[in-house]
Amino acid sequence: MKVPFLDLKLAYEELSDQLEPAVLRALRSGWYIGGQEVEAFESVYAKYCGASQAVAVANGLEALELALRACDIGPGDEVIVPSNTFIATWLAVSRTGATIVPVEPDEYTYCIEAIAVSKAITERTKAIIPVHLYGQPVDIDPIVALAEPSGIFVIEDAAQAHGARYRGRRIGGTRHATAWSFYPAKNLGALGDAGAVTTDSAEIADRLRMLRNYGSKEKYVNEIAGFNSRMDPVQAAVLALKVGVLDVWNSRRQSIANRYIEAFRATPLVLPVVPEWADPVWHLFVVRHPQRDWLADELSKRGVQTQAHYPIPPHEQQAYAHLGYASEAFPLAGLLAREVLSLPIGPQMSTAEVDWVIESVLDVLGRPNE
Ligand SMILES: *Cc1c(COP(=O)(O)O)cnc(C)c1O
């Protein structure tokens, strides 16, 4: 049996009866950037997140960058980011000219925590970007409590956490800003690139609307030097439809995660840890093993495709060589990069595929009860 890491065609096929008319409607509208479809999606998604506003943009990286810029962050400012995130979190900061200040995550939740963050705060700190990595919500209240009195912005990277709940409330209803990616493989994925920022601040939303459209509110009147980062109606129509199935699809991910956790409890794998205040959405199911490459190889021989998220931490990337970090500068990020392995998970995975992943892992690592 072959189990692909993720098959996006199956997601398309499940919804094609609804997607195809929606896409046709957008194609036939005669309007191809912004407009009604995009506004409709913004309002549906803001409501879903419990935010007062959503501003649609072109992709997740720009959602983060424009959120930073909407908070007036630039050269001379410091922005705290996790040492173990996807490179886009760092790129958003460096694109503004601000200084990246990496903080090591908690060893078990893989997310940054208030205590570590507090040690990295200086008088130049202007923002913190907690990343809800792998779909696990960050313990955000203590971070906000730390940031607010000093006027530090909290800009959440929720590119992997559509629908996740923290203490019962949905991620994204934030005073400052939460950045979203709708890259096709995310839990809420478009049929191309797309992104958004949700916020409860009318001021930040207003600046984002200008920034995404050349710095202009009124055509050919430019108040600030902006960007072109807009969503098109085809993606908006697709996304508005897919918000309607997001909870169901996330619950299928949850069932698969439950089965993996149960099946691998007694194996040497380090399993994901879910704090009692967290309702994760399992964008990825990440385990750890000291011989990760060997395990990936053995699983591949049995037809199970896996990935590592992520094999090289940002501070060790050539792209950031100029920052001059030693490889050991962030030992936990380094350790995770060597040990993490993502098993197949997705809303269209069949029971037989999940069974086969479990069988294969137990076959490689040994069955604890035998
Ligand atoms: C996917 C992702 C992004 C970037 O989103 P794009 O839409 O691909 O630009 C940013 N941060 C994290 C954590 C991501 O997983």
Side-chain angles (χ1 to χ4, degrees), residues 59-61 64 85-86 88-89 131 133 157 159-160 181-183 186 193-194 310:
N59 56 64
L61 171 59
L64 279 167
T85 184
F86 177 56
T89 318
V131 180
L133 200 67
D157 181 342
Q160 303 187 356
S181 162
F182 306 119
Y183 176 77
K186 309 289 186 182
D193 275 316
Y310 298 90

Side-chain angles (χ1 to χ4, degrees), residues 16 21 34 41 49 69 108 112 130 182 218-219 312 339 356 363:
S16 62
F41 168 68
C49 295
R69 290 185 182 273
Y108 295 102
I112 57 171
F182 306 119
E218 197 186 324
K219 204 165 187 167
I312 306 172
E339 293 197 345
W356 184 248
D363 188 41

